[in-house]
Amino acid sequence: GNSVTQMEGPVTLSEEAFLTINCTYTATGYPSLFWYVQYPGEGLQLLLKATKADDKGSNKGFEATYRKETTSFHLEKGSVQVSDSAVYFCALSPSNTGNQFYFGTGTSLTVIP
Amino acid sequence: GAGVSQSPSNKVTEKGKDVELRCDPISGHTALYWYRQRLGQGLEFLIYFQGNSAPDKSGLPSDRFSAERTGESVSTLTIQRTQQEDSAVYLCASSLVRADSSEKLFFGSGTQLSVL
């Protein structure tokens, strides 16, 4: 079946620290992979995506590389800011299910000054 | 409007009552999704509409839950005989559909349902 497993939170980091949030997936075929972010009091929004193996999605200093060999899509940022405090969701959309989406449980990140 | 609109934004109801939640997707988006987000938990898939195809209802937790969508427009999620465990944020999302499944979801702000 299709599923996403994400690193448990919550995660608390100091400003300018390095961030990694792990995400691994199980899927049939060649899924597209996504990171969505939910800032406090706001709705979910797309942060970045990758549609095929070895693609790197990037946005706002965040990066994630689609690793087919390890079925992973870990989110990284070299220097986090207080404004990055949010809940991050890893998601996949299998290539053969007509745009169905599967989400991880979310990882809460708090960045302290 | 430009985004996905959900109403009401907040709903407080008594246990045993029925509730209806509404979602207006972005115009032209053929795919529409309902998710549930309990406090401190991830997104739980409920139901998926795609054009005129039969909806994917595999995520509906019980027969108290149902949803309808008229064509490619408004969707209504109905919860009958609400229970306290139904308390959650109900999120609606819409998207275009691409053959490679790479299209992103646009989420509404959600309806916070509280069952007393």
Side-chain angles (χ1 to χ4, degrees):
Chain A
N2 298 293
S3 66
V4 175
T5 302
Q6 244 186 274
M7 178 174 143
E8 293 278 338
V11 175
T12 302
L13 294 174
S14 296
E15 206 165 21
E16 300 183 1
F18 184 85
L19 168 71
T20 300
I21 301 178
N22 289 340
C23 172
T24 58
Y25 67 89
T26 302
T28 54
Y30 300 93
S32 292
L33 302 174
F34 306 80
W35 277 100
Y36 280 81
V37 59
Q38 187 175 31
Y39 296 105
E42 299 184 18
L44 276 85
Q45 55 188 276
L46 179 69
L47 178 61
L48 55 84
K49 71 176 185 181
T51 58
K52 60 183 187 295
D54 300 324
D55 266 5
K56 178 184 285 186
S58 61
N59 186 24
K60 299 182 180 180
F62 290 88
E63 293 183 339
T65 301
Y66 188 139
R67 300 286 188 202
K68 191 171 188 302
E69 64 275 14
T70 54
T71 61
S72 65
F73 193 55
H74 305 321
L75 183 68
E76 297 183 335
K77 186 173 185 181
S79 177
V80 293
Q81 305 300 311
V82 172
S83 57
D84 294 326
S85 298
V87 181
Y88 293 82
F89 293 88
C90 186
L92 72 82
S93 182
S95 57
N96 59 351
T97 61
N99 268 60
Q100 179 56 288
F101 283 79
Y102 298 84
F103 283 82
T105 54
T107 301
S108 175
L109 170 67
T110 300
V111 180
I112 55 178
Chain B
V4 177
S5 177
Q6 290 188 246
S7 60
S9 56
N10 281 283
K11 177 70 176 179
V12 180
T13 190
E14 294 179 349
K15 178 181 172 181
K17 300 282 189 183
D18 297 352
V19 295
E20 277 192 358
L21 312 180
R22 178 187 168 104
C23 173
D24 280 279
I26 292 173
S27 178
H29 281 191
T30 56
L32 186 146
Y33 308 75
W34 284 98
Y35 289 89
R36 179 168 68 179
Q37 186 178 24
R38 289 193 168 117
L39 186 64
Q41 299 188 21
L43 273 69
E44 177 185 0
F45 166 73
L46 297 178
I47 189 168
Y48 164 54
F49 296 91
Q50 166 47 28
N52 295 319
S53 301
D56 178 354
K57 303 180 181 180
S58 61
L60 294 178
S62 76
D63 59 8
R64 297 187 295 106
F65 287 73
S66 63
E68 292 183 350
R69 187 183 187 194
T70 305
E72 295 183 355
S73 61
V74 171
S75 176
T76 302
L77 176 69
T78 301
I79 308 173
Q80 296 178 309
R81 305 182 302 281
T82 52
Q83 304 295 313
Q84 288 183 333
E85 64 262 28
D86 299 335
S87 297
V89 176
Y90 289 82
L91 293 169
C92 178
S94 71
S95 77
L96 296 168
V97 176
R98 289 162 61 108
D100 62 358
S101 300
S102 66
E103 198 57 55
K104 72 177 185 179
L105 296 180
F106 291 80
F107 281 86
S109 299
T111 294
Q112 172 73 62
L113 175 65
S114 300
V115 182
L116 305 179

